[in-house]
Amino acid sequence: MLALRLTRAARLAVQLRRLLVAAASAGTGFLLLCALGHAMTHPDDAGSSALRLAWCAAPLAATVYLAVAVARTDPGARPRPGLSAIGLGPGRLMAVSALTTALSAALGSVVALFCFLQLRGDLTGAPAGGAVTEALALGQSLPVPAAVTLLTLVPAGASAAVALTLRPRDPRPARPTGTRRYGRFGAYGWGAARETFGAYGRYGARLAPATAPTAGTALTSPPVPTGAAPAARVDTGGTLLTQASDTHPPAATDGNRTPDAEPAPRPDTTTLPWGIAVLTAGLAVETYAGDSVAPGTTPSAGVLIGWALTALGLALAGPGLTHLCGRLLQTARPDALRLLAGRVLMEESQRIGRPLGVVCAVACAGYAAVAVYDADGPAFGPLSTLGALVVAGCTVATLLTAAVEARQARADTTDALLRLGAPHSTLRAAAAVRAGALLALFGPLTLIVAELASLPLSR
């Protein structure tokens, strides 16, 4: 009941994103039912039916990916301070978000079943004609257990992915002060606490709160030599009252964070080498397997594995490339606009980098599909068009949803800049600079990878 009430009370933008999940679920469910119908129509051709069912994995993964992105931007299921007191802790909100996602995907599955039965003529008595009739199993009774099993794949997968993504995580324990943590090959890692920009120069940052001495407690202060920094004032019990010789103020640690607050993701560039390695391996596997494929024929399993590895490599390299793009914006005597745009890209590389890499992978796959489904190749039927639209639409919608999530995450920073007097035109110009930098980096990269991926099939 709580999930239904939150669904009804959501804003229009949230409802539209949930409708996108329902539409993607409807398209994926219809493709799964068509694969079942093809298997019923051609019982002797099990290999072709299995291949059709395997091709449905791409729309299924894209739909689940979109559902996770939509659930992350849902303001109704976001942890806030104080909700645990009324029984809405992170675990309960995660369950509500997973149930809401399952309801949206189940609505799409019901629409897919209705459209499939409508085309079969089970509802009106007049079956549809055309190229899709061989996948409808006309004149045969539809097996209910198989249809229900296929239709529950999308709601079950989407809700499980949302629950896994939004599961409560325990905060990392703070490291002892004064210890250093080094990464591989001596690279300096993240400290125990991060200091925000301008914390040292903030008024009162270096002054400790005054503590009134108790009765019978004497304040001792050792003599300060000339030219030396003042030492700490301690009482006879050893309690530190004032530390004026600290170069920087003590930063807030993870222990002071509210348990319901959601920690911001830190930029992670460690996946960039792995992404480049997987991308190179995918291109190598595709080139090796493409030598035995005749032009205009269906690609072999080796080529499909190479495409999958190439797409995975682009998805892994996306955050690192976005972080690199932000660093390049801040090189060579940057002005305030480039500094702002580059810093935002570095902070948001984890949020928008992966969806951007997935969009590049889908674009490369579309370019390679055009090389396969040419005039001399197999026909690009309506079901293939539907699958391509579902995958492309889900990936683009996921990228836009990730951009909305990044905008919500930096809302406090934007308000602070506006209070300091930054004009709206500067923020819009910074957004344009970020978009242009990403397009300048990922555009040529997508074209190069797409050309290399389609080269073995066009020879």
Side-chain angles (χ1 to χ4, degrees), residues 15-17 145 147 200 210 227 234 278 309 366 395-396 413-414 437 446:
Q15 299 287 9
L16 290 178
R17 289 195 288 267
Y200 176 72
V234 297
V278 174
L309 290 177
T395 51
V396 174
T413 305
T414 303
T446 304

Side-chain angles (χ1 to χ4, degrees), residues 4-449:
L4 291 175
R5 294 182 65 180
L6 290 177
T7 302
R8 288 175 49 193
R11 298 179 180 178
L12 180 60
V14 179
Q15 299 287 9
L16 290 178
R17 289 195 288 267
R18 290 172 180 170
L19 286 179
L20 285 178
V21 175
S25 176
T28 305
F30 185 80
L31 291 174
L32 290 171
L33 291 177
C34 288
L36 175 61
H38 185 272
M40 295 172 57
T41 307
H42 305 83
D44 298 334
D45 194 2
S48 178
S49 300
L51 183 60
R52 285 174 175 264
L53 186 61
W55 274 108
C56 294
L60 178 61
T63 304
V64 171
Y65 196 45
L66 175 61
V68 171
V70 170
R72 288 176 60 90
T73 57
D74 191 356
R78 185 176 304 164
R80 301 184 189 89
L83 288 181
S84 297
I86 59 175
L88 291 178
R92 182 74 178 276
L93 290 177
M94 177 268 295
V96 170
S97 181
L99 183 57
T100 305
T101 303
L103 290 176
S104 301
L107 176 62
S109 298
V110 171
V111 173
L113 179 61
F114 177 80
C115 294
F116 188 77
L117 295 178
Q118 180 74 18
L119 292 177
R120 277 171 50 90
D122 295 338
L123 301 179
T124 59
V132 77
T133 54
E134 65 174 4
L136 297 177
L138 299 178
Q140 303 182 31
S141 60
L142 190 66
V144 178
V148 172
T149 301
L150 291 177
L151 289 177
T152 54
L153 287 179
V154 179
S159 60
V162 169
L164 183 62
T165 304
L166 302 182
R167 69 188 186 277
R169 296 178 176 88
D170 295 332
R172 296 180 179 178
R175 299 180 63 86
T177 306
T179 60
R180 292 185 178 182
R181 183 178 64 177
Y182 293 92
R184 190 173 296 136
F185 303 113
Y188 191 74
W190 291 96
R194 299 181 62 187
E195 182 179 300
T196 58
F197 177 77
Y200 176 72
R202 191 175 297 120
Y203 177 75
R206 292 187 292 166
L207 298 179
T211 305
T214 59
T217 303
L219 296 179
T220 61
S221 179
V224 180
T226 305
R233 291 191 302 151
V234 297
D235 60 2
T236 55
T239 303
L240 179 64
L241 298 180
T242 306
Q243 181 71 34
S245 61
D246 286 343
T247 307
H248 297 282
T253 58
D254 292 340
N256 298 329
R257 184 181 298 160
T258 306
D260 292 339
E262 183 180 0
R266 293 175 175 176
D268 186 11
T269 58
T270 58
T271 58
L272 180 58
W274 290 101
I276 295 176
V278 174
L279 175 62
T280 306
L283 293 176
V285 169
E286 183 185 352
T287 303
Y288 179 78
D291 294 336
S292 59
V293 178
T297 60
T298 304
S300 60
V303 175
L304 296 180
I305 293 175
W307 284 354
L309 290 177
T310 302
L312 180 61
L314 286 174
L316 290 177
L321 291 176
T322 306
H323 194 275
L324 176 63
C325 187
R327 281 192 176 275
L328 292 178
L329 276 178
Q330 301 176 73
T331 57
R333 302 176 63 88
D335 53 1
L337 183 62
R338 288 170 53 194
L339 280 175
L340 179 60
R343 190 62 183 173
V344 171
L345 274 183
M346 291 174 62
E347 290 295 329
E348 296 177 355
S349 59
Q350 192 66 21
R351 284 191 178 93
I352 66 175
R354 189 147 312 189
L356 191 57
V358 173
V359 169
C360 294
V362 171
C364 294
Y367 188 90
V370 171
V372 175
Y373 292 95
D374 52 1
D376 299 330
F380 201 78
L383 296 180
S384 302
T385 304
L386 177 61
L389 289 177
V390 169
V391 173
C394 287
T395 51
V396 174
T398 302
L399 178 59
L400 297 178
T401 306
V404 172
E405 181 189 2
R407 183 179 180 182
Q408 293 175 355
R410 67 172 186 270
D412 296 338
T413 305
T414 303
D415 294 341
L417 290 175
L418 293 177
R419 286 195 303 267
L420 290 175
H424 290 275
S425 59
T426 302
L427 301 180
R428 289 192 293 266
V433 169
R434 294 196 302 269
L438 291 176
L439 184 61
L441 178 63
F442 282 90
L445 176 64
T446 304
L447 292 177
I448 293 174
V449 174

